[in-house]
Amino acid sequence: YYSFKNPNLRYPINVDGHFLTKPVPELFQTQQLLTVPFMTGINNHEGVFFFSYIFFSIQPEAAAIRDLIANEYIGSGEDRIRNRDGFTELLGDFFFTFPAIKAANAHRDAGADVYLYEYHYAPKFLQKKRPSFVKCDHADELFSVLGFCFTTTHVKLVDACPEEEEEFSRIMMSYWGNFARTGSPNGDGLVEWPKYGAEERYMSLDVKEQTSRQSLKKDRVIFVTQTLPERIRDHEENVGRSEL
């Protein structure tokens, strides 16, 4: 997907010739990937507290591109609630959703068994500390996946987890544990988690329901892979004609 030229928006990656033999886009394109089972996913509100300062550091020459993206996510900018929700969605999409889907597609196309998810639940103790508009932020899934409710070490919970959180955590630990042991998250007593294939099936994981869905954030993916590149090309052609 489109990547900004601003170095502040890129993680430093070292192509060392051993662990990473070529740039990742080239490895994805040529399908030079290990075809081991692969699980990846996102939380449904990744961009709330992370990276919010970075977007404003985009260099002046990218202003037109920034405006195209902003218009897609927040429109005119007159609705303050839409501004807030659109901006946090934008950050989550560009830093997490689109890279996750790109990685899932690459591994699927290389022949690996791929399992994709969108995670929806933030623990109650976190919900109490946050604004009401915050959903499941970055890393919130770790509490359920790692069995935080069942800790018996020096870490002490102020309040016991609600029963539904304990049950949800057992389900998540089962999915992740099964995947670690067998290469598939599926097992007895669990809702069937389909492989991510041509139909782009993924698992929606929430405390009330775990269900299979199709084409994660399809409209946004179409925007960033098709609509945005087309508009960028049109913009660059218009700039070129005006300079002539």
Side-chain angles (χ1 to χ4, degrees), residues 87-152:
F87 182 61
T88 55
E89 182 188 8
L90 181 156
L91 292 173
D93 281 354
F94 276 81
F95 282 99
F96 297 100
T97 306
F98 301 147
I101 293 173
K102 187 172 184 177
N105 288 342
H107 285 81
R108 173 201 62 190
D109 294 345
D113 291 343
V114 175
Y115 298 92
L116 181 67
Y117 67 85
E118 183 181 43
Y119 199 92
H120 293 259
Y121 185 73
K124 283 286 196 302
F125 82 92
L126 290 179
Q127 295 179 33
K128 293 176 182 178
K129 299 178 180 180
R130 294 174 173 173
S132 59
F133 69 86
V134 179
K135 293 179 282 190
C136 186
D137 198 3
H138 187 61
D140 284 356
E141 83 286 357
L142 295 178
F143 295 97
S144 294
V145 170
L146 299 181
F148 188 69
C149 288
F150 310 109
T151 178
T152 58

